[in-house]
Amino acid sequence: MTMTISYSLNTIDSAVEQFWEIAKNFKVVTFSGDMGAGKTTFISHLCDYLQVPDAVSSPTFALVNEYRFEYEGKEHTILHTDWYRLRNIEEAINAGMEECIDQTKNGPTFCWVEWPEKAPELIPPTHLAVYISTTDITERSMSLTTNE
Ligand SMILES: Nc1ncnc2c1ncn2[C@@H]1O[C@H](COP(=O)(O)OP(=O)(O)O)[C@@H](O)[C@H]1O
Ligand SMILES: [Mg+2]
């Protein structure tokens, strides 16, 4: 499946709503796109939509931010990771990124990965791949792809 969503910061919240209807079905979601494309911005709006109580920030330095939220009456966890600073699979494993992926298998935990290209071997075959590209200063085009 492939679909495209275009949005600006004025329409990002309806894009988020549309996105979640698909993304809720995938434990692992990868976010690709150039620096400044809007990966963190989109995730931040998505977390607002999901009423995550903590402030969402870029995990570039911490590598992983953990958020909790209630969904359909149940506690869920999001592991928001950013692999930008990692160089390869070995560094990713040492930094605990494989554990983040593994945690999605054991309960209501999602793992969202910025810069998955740094260690693509760790991404399970079933995932939602998101590519964000800049079409104008204020406009973004997001493509969603799954292998299903
Ligand atoms: N439609 C849009 N969606 C997301 N960001 C946008 C949009 N239009 C402008 N921007 C700006 O682009 C930048 C995106 O930065 P950021 O989300 O940190 O990117 P990334 O995480 O992909 O490196 C922000 O400064 C944001 O204000
Ligand atoms: Mg980012």
Side-chain angles (χ1 to χ4, degrees):
M1 179 223 66
T2 301
M3 70 172 285
T4 306
I5 302 173
S6 295
Y7 60 93
S8 66
L9 289 177
N10 292 326
T11 61
I12 196 166
D13 293 319
S14 73
V16 155
E17 218 174 311
Q18 221 184 319
F19 176 86
W20 176 245
E21 283 311 304
I22 296 162
K24 67 184 181 186
N25 302 305
F26 292 88
K27 291 305 206 60
V28 177
V29 183
T30 60
F31 291 85
S32 301
D34 295 339
M35 184 84 74
K39 302 177 289 297
T40 302
T41 301
F42 194 85
I43 289 171
S44 164
H45 282 263
L46 182 55
C47 287
D48 286 347
Y49 175 69
L50 296 174
Q51 299 186 308
V52 169
D54 324 289
V56 172
S57 61
S58 174
T60 306
F61 296 100
L63 296 180
V64 51
N65 289 347
E66 187 170 328
Y67 314 127
R68 284 167 204 278
F69 69 107
E70 287 260 329
Y71 182 66
E72 292 177 339
K74 210 163 126 197
E75 175 99 337
H76 286 67
T77 301
I78 296 163
L79 300 174
H80 174 197
T81 71
D82 185 335
W83 297 1
Y84 182 70
R85 296 200 315 140
L86 302 170
R87 275 174 300 190
N88 52 44
I89 183 171
E90 196 187 342
E91 285 190 8
I93 290 172
N94 289 340
M97 296 303 117
E98 192 175 36
E99 279 165 51
C100 289
I101 299 285
D102 283 347
Q103 274 189 54
T104 66
K105 295 170 190 155
N106 309 322
T109 298
F110 296 95
C111 185
W112 295 345
V113 182
E114 296 188 43
W115 294 99
E117 325 31 43
K118 296 302 182 100
E121 304 90 336
L122 293 185
I123 304 298
T126 298
H127 68 277
L128 178 66
V130 179
Y131 295 85
I132 302 176
S133 57
T134 303
T135 46
D136 179 272
I137 301 172
T138 57
E139 292 283 330
R140 301 293 186 264
S141 174
M142 167 184 270
S143 80
L144 312 185
T145 308
T146 68
N147 59 6
E148 280 159 20

